Amino acid sequence: MKYMQLKALFCLLLLAAPAQAEEAGVAADRILFGQAAAMSGPSSALGVKMRQGILAAFAEVNAKGGVHGRKLELISRDDGYDPDRSVLQTFKLIEEDKVFALIGAVGTPTTLVTVPIAKAQNIPFIGPFTGAGFLRGNDLANVVNIRASYAAEAESWIKHLTEDRHLKRIAIFYQDDPYGRDGLTGVKLALERRGMELAAEATYERNTKAVASAMRTLRRAEPEAVVMVGTYAPCAEFIKLARKSGFNPVFVNISFVGAVALAQELGHEGEGVIVSQVVPFPWDTSIKVVADYQAAGRLLDPEMEPDFVSLEGYLSARLAAAALEMAGPNPTREAFLRVINAVGRFDISGDHVAVGQTPHDAASDVFLTVIQGDGTFASVNKL
């Protein structure tokens, strides 16, 4: 059944439903969303940018009258990219703030402990900023993924390094937690498909920049490329230390790193560093969704700069608004998730976002960018 037919069917069925008691987070004039993410600490740019994108989308929707007359609002709580704090803040969002849905969570170690909380109450968990494989489990019907997995990103890296650049010695630097190990698994699988193994691997501890030992370990292995599964501050520290020591392999970073924050941390030393991306190029206004995103950003804050992370937040929030529109004037969590999983593919200003329990997820959903000498980004042409 085509998208418009599905939309019409859902609207007819839900409009015919009798009025019912208000759902948590739903009032006569608003629908409340909650975000638990890093707003402080060495990964704060990720949570702050996700929040900006969500707020920009909500401002755009609200300026047009909201969804069925209700304005969309967001409460953000700071978890510092720490799992224990994330559990606490998630419980507060659910029990104290009584949000309708959770949106824009940041990180694998934090979502690993908060997704079960949301699942237990069938609370929508929308657009987590992580490509962790566990989020794609068939038992997580409440999780709304909009991004490619880390495995898909890893495949795109190894394809580029081995087929385009003909490199043979590839090492990995990763965060020593479920996030980093998910990336490690993806890289190993991509190499195994080509009959290859890692030249070396080294780790660092989450929420630190203690990377000197890891850098020395990888430098001794003399790899031609280092793929990196971390956040912007420690990854930038690693690259700067490496360059200072004369260690200059090809550096490739995962999208979660926060590309713009990484470029800012690196300054002139960022030239040539590759970062994979899972959302459209946020400066290309020939893409309608990007033009809408930039306009929404200016509506929220005239000083807001385009960014891959905030664009991902924007797409997540636009998707939430589209699903709410289809869920009808008496929205419930159950109806919202039913729409998500039945429709599966949403047109957001011309950008088709696949969601639901079996979203499309392949290396074709990933593209590579490279940091230029002035800190801007260009697409990697050959892949």
Side-chain angles (χ1 to χ4, degrees), residues 10 24 110 153 158 162 190 214 252 272 317 346:
F10 270 111
T110 49
E153 290 193 63
I158 303 305
T162 60
V252 184
F346 288 79

Side-chain angles (χ1 to χ4, degrees), residues 141-364:
N142 69 309
V143 176
V144 184
N145 295 295
I146 73 161
R147 57 158 36 232
S149 68
Y150 291 150
E153 290 193 63
E155 172 61 25
S156 73
W157 301 342
I158 303 305
K159 180 179 176 64
H160 174 66
L161 293 172
T162 60
E163 297 179 21
D164 295 345
R165 294 184 179 237
H166 307 290
L167 304 184
K168 299 185 183 301
R169 292 186 57 77
I170 299 169
I172 187 170
F173 168 72
Y174 64 96
Q175 187 166 286
D176 190 13
D177 69 0
Y179 159 51
R181 289 190 285 274
D182 196 287
L184 173 67
T185 298
V187 169
K188 285 184 172 180
L189 287 173
L191 286 170
E192 285 173 11
R193 293 186 192 107
R194 295 161 173 84
M196 299 172 65
E197 294 182 351
L198 281 166
E201 59 181 84
T203 67
Y204 75 96
E205 185 178 345
R206 182 180 62 243
N207 279 338
T208 75
K209 294 199 293 184
V211 303
S213 176
M215 191 279 294
R216 290 192 293 270
T217 296
L218 295 193
R219 184 180 62 185
R220 286 193 294 269
E222 299 182 343
E224 298 168 285
V226 173
V227 296
M228 313 183 82
V229 186
T231 56
Y232 58 91
C235 287
E237 183 70 10
F238 184 103
I239 293 168
K240 287 187 285 189
L241 286 174
R243 296 212 194 282
K244 186 176 180 180
S245 72
F247 175 39
N248 287 298
V250 178
F251 291 108
V252 184
N253 279 263
I254 205 161
S255 62
F256 182 85
V257 74
V260 172
L262 176 68
Q264 291 171 344
E265 290 270 339
L266 285 170
H268 69 277
E269 293 180 280
E271 185 171 8
V273 173
I274 294 171
V275 187
S276 53
Q277 310 295 351
V278 295
V279 297
F281 203 68
W283 298 275
D284 186 359
T285 53
S286 68
I287 304 171
K288 188 176 186 305
V289 72
V290 173
D292 289 350
Y293 151 74
Q294 288 198 15
R298 289 191 296 271
L299 180 66
L300 176 71
D301 177 3
E303 303 300 317
M304 181 174 161
E305 294 289 336
D307 175 273
F308 294 99
V309 180
S310 60
L311 175 54
E312 188 163 336
Y314 173 84
L315 288 169
S316 297
R318 282 285 309 275
L319 170 69
L324 276 173
E325 187 72 38
M326 293 178 66
N330 298 309
T332 64
R333 292 165 173 165
E334 182 180 357
F336 176 88
L337 291 171
R338 189 164 63 244
V339 168
I340 289 284
N341 287 307
V343 174
R345 189 174 175 86
F346 288 79
D347 184 336
I348 308 298
S349 297
D351 187 62
H352 292 88
V353 179
V355 296
Q357 289 176 269
T358 56
H360 182 61
D361 177 42
S364 59

